[in-house]
Amino acid sequence: MTNALTRLLDIAPAPGEPRDKDWGEVERILAVGLPDDYKELIRIYGGSNWDDYLYVLEPNCPNKHYDLLTWAKYQADHLEDLWKFEKKPAELEAEGATVIPWATTDNGECLYWLVLPGLELNEWTVMVNEARGDRWEHYSVSCTRFLASVLDGEFRSNILSSLFPLPTHQFRRLAAV
């Protein structure tokens, strides 16, 4: 278990039964592997809501609105259209660079993995995109480290809501609606 997951367990204890996934099938559908820390995050917490604001996407999430596979397809199509009108962030200018969503917010911000050619999947970092604008932030950490760091105040985003995180953390595992 990573230090970031240990920090998350201090913030919100594991919610119960682990969620096991057929990661081989998920990665086949996405045509890319996924970071080990994310797989462990999903195993422990599943698709989840943090501080009534940030939603971690889960493959085949019981709440279909937060399904990683659906979001990945939608965001890939959406961003290709977006680049026709907005400038790509510098991190995405490299040939073969792309992003894959792993979380979203109530306001519509999207959190992505930055995938760069030649970079191992466990070295992917985090990009945050504002909901209705062209601002992006880059954090040179894993998704679980980012989540733990914004929740415990180590990181402060200029894009995410100023009301996040809450002074007293709230966590809920996503369920069917």
Side-chain angles (χ1 to χ4, degrees), residues 102 112-114 119 123-127 138-142:
W102 64 271
Y112 297 92
W113 287 292
L114 174 60
L119 192 64
E123 297 173 341
W124 292 356
T125 57
V126 173
M127 298 281 296
H138 178 240
Y139 295 85
S140 295
V141 296
S142 70

Side-chain angles (χ1 to χ4, degrees), residues 4-66:
L5 279 169
T6 301
R7 288 167 59 196
L8 286 174
L9 286 166
D10 287 341
I11 292 168
E17 290 298 312
R19 286 196 176 157
D20 293 319
K21 298 288 174 182
D22 180 350
W23 290 108
E25 177 65 10
V26 169
E27 292 170 335
R28 185 192 65 73
I29 292 168
L30 290 173
V32 67
L34 293 173
D36 293 334
D37 72 306
Y38 171 75
K39 293 176 186 178
E40 187 70 4
L41 175 68
I42 294 302
R43 188 183 75 71
I44 293 171
Y45 290 104
S48 48
N49 178 270
W50 296 84
D51 287 358
D52 204 27
Y53 173 71
L54 188 140
Y55 292 85
V56 173
L57 305 174
E58 174 185 2
N60 303 310
C61 186
N63 181 327
K64 65 181 180 172
H65 301 292
Y66 300 101

Side-chain angles (χ1 to χ4, degrees), residues 86-156:
E86 288 185 10
K87 182 172 174 20
K88 281 184 181 182
E91 294 85 356
L92 291 175
E93 290 296 336
E95 181 70 30
T98 191
V99 288
I100 300 171
W102 64 271
T104 189
T105 70
D106 271 353
N107 292 341
E109 292 88 9
C110 197
L111 290 76
Y112 297 92
W113 287 292
L114 174 60
V115 181
L116 298 172
L119 192 64
E120 295 294 322
L121 57 90
N122 288 318
E123 297 173 341
W124 292 356
T125 57
V126 173
M127 298 281 296
V128 179
N129 179 225
E130 72 179 323
R132 289 166 283 287
D134 61 359
R135 289 187 311 147
W136 289 77
E137 293 175 337
H138 178 240
Y139 295 85
S140 295
V141 296
S142 70
C143 66
T144 53
R145 167 91 192 277
F146 178 82
L147 181 58
S149 295
V150 295
L151 289 170
D152 71 11
E154 178 185 355
F155 293 164
R156 188 78 189 144

Side-chain angles (χ1 to χ4, degrees), residues 30 67-79 100-101:
L30 290 173
D67 177 64
L68 175 75
L69 301 172
T70 303
W71 272 81
K73 180 179 178 353
Y74 169 78
Q75 288 301 111
D77 294 342
H78 174 74
L79 288 174
I100 300 171

